[in-house]
Amino acid sequence: MRSTFFFTNLLICISAGVLFSSCSKKNEEGKYIPANASMALHLNTKALTKKLPWEEIKKQNYFQALNADTSTTAFMRTLMENPENSGIKMDENIIIFLVTDEQGGYFAVEGEIKDKAKFAAMQAEMKTGNDVKMQDGWNTNSGSRNLTAWNDKRFIALSDVPEMKTAPKLPMMEGDTTMKAPPLVFRDLNTALAALTNLKESNSMAGNDHFTTLMKTSGDIHAWINIEAFTANMPTTPQMSMINLNKLYQGSQMAATVNFDDGKINIDTKSYASPEMTAVWKKYSGKAMDETMVKQIPIKNIAAFFALNFNPEGVREFLKIAGLDGLINMGSGMLGFNLDEFISANKGDILVAVGDLEKDSADKPSMKFLFSASIGNKENFTKIISAGKKFGQQQMATSGKLPDLFYNVNDKYFTLGNSQVYADNFIQGTNTTMPPLFSEISGKPAGGYINFQYIMKSLQNRAFPDSLDKLSLEASLNTWDHLIFSGGDLDGDAAKQHAEIILVNKNENSLKQLNNYAGIMSNIINERRKNQKPYDNMDSTIVVAPTK
């Protein structure tokens, strides 16, 4: 019964999710979210249901299979037929948030009621043996770790997650080295409910400026992560006490907006930090990536790429704030250089590239990778190279084996990879052609991409012992094109990042494409369960969507 209770609430949440802007400095949605929430998710269900109507979901085999399952109750089928039979307003916003504390954490799902009688009927179906009770004007239906409350206007569904408790493991008994986790302590969800239903605006996310900015940004989904709240209850150790975590995590928050557009998924994020950390960002922010380095990449077919420009002096300031500068100096001193020499040695450009996927002489997949850094002070950089050799010799003495690594260096660049030829070609600048996808991120302090199409096409020549693997690859090839991301620019006190997941079909909304892809992969999973391996004898419902 507990699993049915949880699954039904989960279905409500998913169906509502799939299926307020003013001049004020506050936001309406935040009134229902505690200020100390570690994570919050806002689903713009009106926009989502327009892009992916429920009828589209119902056409998929995974949905039909669930509907036909004998364990699916008649009432559950009623909800699946039309989620509004739950009594919830499916064209209004759904809010999901997580609160973490010393007891672990709890999830909450909140939304608006359209038909109180239908919602009450659904709760009656889900009763876990306890009678529906009243608490401060709210009807409540509780399970062992779940509680749902509703009145004429809103509902709140809570789920206790004591497993999120981050306390260190304890010895089983004195002298016993075996470790065990402390016993789970379950919270009183009625107390949590009372705190939420009586939540004062001053103790909510309503007045959080960063969250307000997020909610005023047009998006299908808004996500909020409070890293400071997540780390507030982390256990400390003597080693960790040497690091000033409070200064690192103070004010550390991330806001993200997701939009499902035709042929792509757009993700925009803003990162916030403490005033001290923000001052470091602003003073030592990077400039545009070094395009000369990018042109010199000798890898012809790049599968994944990342480049970064930064001000090395910012590293020093960051380490000071974290209280790590002394420790770093101690460790680097054992290898023959100090922090000042490391900073002066680096000019502030880093590049990593992977590609040229092929088979080696043993018919195993292989690839080329390359790391490169721009050089500031050549003499000090030579000390770092010597330290790297020394460290490698120490590892060789310990493990007896190291991966094959090759490097080359000139006055401008240092490069390291798994091929001497590639390292030499980079330094010699034999390649002068800019990678095709780089134009989409040039001019930014940081950026990169993953070429899904190239990676998957390199797998097509493999022998597939299971034809279902081949079908999965074909479905993915017809869906995913590439991922591209960039960031590092500052917008006020926020660092901005942007990512795009590009799909093959540029003419259809990405949310519909994800639904179709999920249907295809669900069919393949079902066929695998049936052990129907021959390609020609597969169920006719498996269709790999053609490229448009």
Side-chain angles (χ1 to χ4, degrees), residues 72-326:
T72 303
T73 65
F75 184 78
M76 181 68 74
R77 292 191 180 93
T78 301
L79 294 181
M80 293 172 64
E81 177 61 29
N82 184 358
E84 288 197 351
N85 289 327
S86 66
I88 297 173
K89 283 186 179 180
M90 294 303 178
D91 58 350
E92 293 293 339
N93 301 312
I94 294 292
I95 296 171
I96 306 168
F97 62 85
L98 167 70
V99 173
T100 55
D101 54 25
E102 293 180 352
Q103 286 183 258
Y106 69 88
F107 277 102
V109 181
E110 298 188 8
E112 296 192 23
I113 296 289
K114 181 177 182 178
D115 189 320
K116 183 180 179 181
K118 286 185 177 180
F119 193 90
M122 177 183 66
Q123 293 301 314
E125 282 282 333
M126 293 161 35
K127 276 202 317 182
T128 57
N130 299 324
D131 293 331
V132 173
K133 300 177 181 179
M134 290 292 294
Q135 180 176 327
D136 297 329
W138 290 75
N139 302 280
T140 62
N141 181 22
S142 60
S144 59
R145 296 173 64 170
N146 303 281
L147 182 148
T148 302
W150 69 99
N151 57 20
D152 293 340
K153 296 181 178 180
R154 295 189 62 79
F155 77 88
I156 304 174
L158 303 177
S159 293
D160 188 19
V161 193
E163 291 85 356
M164 296 193 70
K165 184 177 177 64
T166 55
K169 293 183 177 181
L170 304 173
M172 294 185 67
M173 60 183 68
E174 186 176 352
D176 192 343
T177 58
T178 305
M179 306 294 282
K180 70 172 184 177
L184 297 178
V185 178
F186 297 93
R187 74 180 63 243
D188 181 359
L189 288 176
N190 288 291
T191 301
L193 174 65
L196 291 177
T197 55
N198 295 288
L199 184 64
K200 293 182 179 180
E201 190 172 299
S202 59
N203 294 327
S204 74
M205 293 289 290
N208 186 302
D209 292 341
H210 297 157
F211 189 75
T212 298
T213 300
L214 171 67
M215 296 310 302
K216 289 183 178 181
T217 304
S218 177
D220 298 328
I221 297 175
H222 297 102
W224 171 264
I225 300 176
N226 186 339
I227 301 172
E228 181 180 5
F230 262 119
T231 59
N233 297 292
M234 289 178 59
T236 58
T237 63
Q239 294 83 357
M240 294 295 289
S241 64
M242 299 176 63
I243 306 174
N244 197 336
L245 293 176
N246 290 335
K247 285 193 174 182
L248 280 182
Y249 294 130
Q250 183 184 5
S252 182
Q253 303 162 346
M254 179 175 287
T257 303
V258 181
N259 280 290
F260 298 97
D261 300 316
D262 288 349
K264 61 183 177 180
I265 304 169
N266 278 301
I267 306 170
D268 289 283
T269 64
K270 287 186 175 182
S271 301
Y272 301 93
S274 66
E276 191 172 4
M277 285 294 295
T278 301
V280 173
W281 287 359
K282 291 181 177 181
K283 185 176 180 179
Y284 299 105
S285 58
K287 300 178 181 179
M289 292 174 280
D290 186 340
E291 295 195 5
T292 301
M293 290 179 71
V294 178
K295 284 183 180 179
Q296 291 185 193
I297 298 175
I299 299 174
K300 294 180 180 179
N301 299 295
I302 298 177
F305 161 87
F306 174 74
L308 168 70
N309 175 270
F310 65 99
N311 188 328
E313 286 295 330
V315 175
R316 187 202 315 275
E317 296 303 313
F318 172 81
L319 293 174
K320 284 183 178 179
I321 292 174
L324 284 171
D325 50 332

